[in-house]
Amino acid sequence: MALMEAKRSPYFKHFYVCVNRREEGKSCCAARDGEAVRERLKEYVNTHGLKGKVRVSGSGCMDFCEQGANVMVYPDHRWYSGVTMESADRIIEEHLKPLVEHRVPGTGT
């Protein structure tokens, strides 16, 4: 059995986008653009040379279903609620575009 090993994260930033789906009639981030927001962020990462430096992950419930879709950004310790496809561009402007513009080492940009 392999021993657990603690390491520093290989990513400059990690986005957690709630994509939790609840039963019919209950609020959930999946029904509030969570999946589409995750795909929009991933698309930007992939097309701007940030793959391997930035990770966009779908997450389970963050316990703020009524305020969804929810996105957490680390290590920035930022939480966004009420994220829509339109407002996802603000997250890109604040957290991803600066990485491209400042040529993060190892991104090839």
Side-chain angles (χ1 to χ4, degrees):
M1 178 186 335
L3 295 175
M4 182 176 77
E5 184 178 346
K7 298 179 184 179
R8 184 170 175 83
S9 173
Y11 304 108
F12 286 101
K13 293 190 187 277
H14 198 143
F15 293 76
Y16 298 92
V17 183
C18 182
V19 294
N20 189 56
R21 186 170 301 282
R22 297 175 76 196
E23 61 267 14
E24 188 69 35
K26 296 214 176 194
S27 293
C28 67
C29 290
R32 291 192 160 128
D33 284 344
E35 293 167 347
V37 166
R38 180 187 64 191
E39 290 307 311
R40 172 73 178 106
L41 296 175
K42 285 175 80 168
E43 173 187 304
Y44 188 91
V45 166
N46 291 335
T47 60
H48 287 85
L50 296 173
K51 189 172 177 132
K53 300 298 175 189
V54 173
R55 180 78 179 165
V56 179
S57 299
S59 80
C61 186
M62 295 179 179
D63 281 337
F64 289 91
C65 305
E66 296 293 329
Q67 299 171 21
N70 295 291
V71 177
M72 290 189 296
V73 183
Y74 283 96
D76 300 359
H77 299 284
R78 260 317 176 47
W79 180 290
Y80 295 94
S81 293
V83 180
T84 63
M85 286 300 291
E86 293 79 28
S87 62
D89 287 336
R90 179 176 152 213
I91 295 172
I92 289 169
E93 287 291 321
E94 289 183 27
H95 299 280
L96 292 173
K97 195 171 182 183
L99 296 177
V100 174
E101 291 172 351
H102 292 104
R103 300 180 185 261
V104 173
T107 62
T109 58

